Amino acid sequence: MKIALINEFSQAPKNALILGILKEVAEPLGHTVVNAGMSQTDVSSGNPGDYPADNPCITYVMTGIQASLLLNSGAVDFVVTGCGTGQGALLSCNMFPGVACGYCVEPADAYLFAQINAGNCLSIPYAKGFGWGADINLRNIFTSAFSAPIGQGYPPERRPQQNRNAGILDGVKRAVAKELPDAIRAIDPAIVRQAITPNFLAVFREGCKVPELAELVDELVG
């Protein structure tokens, strides 16, 4: 799998730590890890309004826009995201079609979400409860999430029913949501453009497999 890390500005100082642990765990398992998140070098201040136009501040609101474009375009297969509590990124990501985001505080959350819900995005709290031993917890979360193929079921004998339910949920979401290009165009363009940071754009352009979404992003950037 190709896994993208997305994090917003409040957790930019932890980007290198999260990325390092994710690479340490996922790459020996055969996965590729790319960084679309804000890093310490991107942080100009604590005020989102102070960021330059060519590298805008990302809040949890924009993580859903980024995750939806990366996943629906085929640029990546899985997104690891989060914010201070993990709740804002979770809500933002789950608004969009093609994104099934789970809330993950401990390794069991990651394993059960991957095997039962067969999702493609994890939201992790990087401030709340992120103290002594947090690096160990992150390492174990990523190991639980990526060591086995997704959607194997838990317990294994319930795999057919669980996979069927995950497919039904995805179908319901697509039925009640706009198609992604329509959804992106329905959002205030200023908010969407704010989500198109250099880190995100590099990952998107490198892997995008859907011409319509590539044209949409180019239109917004242009």
Side-chain angles (χ1 to χ4, degrees), residues 3-19:
I3 304 165
L5 172 62
I6 295 174
N7 61 273
E8 33 75 81
F9 84 106
S10 76
Q11 302 309 309
K14 297 190 181 88
N15 175 266
L17 170 68
I18 301 162
L19 181 67

Side-chain angles (χ1 to χ4, degrees), residues 152-162:
Q152 296 300 298
Y154 183 85
E157 61 269 19
R158 297 192 62 190
R159 176 181 177 182
Q161 178 186 359
Q162 290 168 349

Side-chain angles (χ1 to χ4, degrees), residues 35-37 54-55 66 69-70 75 193 195-208 213-214 216-222:
N35 186 18
D54 61 350
N55 193 21
Q66 292 187 336
L69 286 168
L70 290 176
R193 282 194 291 270
I196 304 175
T197 60
N199 287 347
F200 162 80
L201 194 57
V203 173
F204 177 82
R205 282 182 167 161
E206 180 183 3
C208 178
L213 293 179
L216 173 60
V217 169
D218 286 343
E219 172 189 323
L220 290 162
V221 172

Side-chain angles (χ1 to χ4, degrees), residues 139-213:
R139 187 171 289 106
N140 290 335
I141 283 173
F142 295 148
T143 300
S144 295
F146 303 122
S147 290
I150 290 174
Q152 296 300 298
Y154 183 85
E157 61 269 19
R158 297 192 62 190
R159 176 181 177 182
Q161 178 186 359
Q162 290 168 349
N163 285 351
R164 183 166 59 251
N165 287 339
I168 291 171
L169 181 61
D170 181 66
V172 169
K173 187 171 187 177
R174 291 184 183 279
V176 301
K178 290 184 173 74
E179 293 292 326
L180 184 61
D182 295 333
I184 295 296
R185 287 192 172 94
I187 301 169
D188 182 344
I191 294 175
V192 180
R193 282 194 291 270
Q194 188 172 340
I196 304 175
T197 60
N199 287 347
F200 162 80
L201 194 57
V203 173
F204 177 82
R205 282 182 167 161
E206 180 183 3
C208 178
K209 299 178 178 66
V210 180
E212 182 181 7
L213 293 179

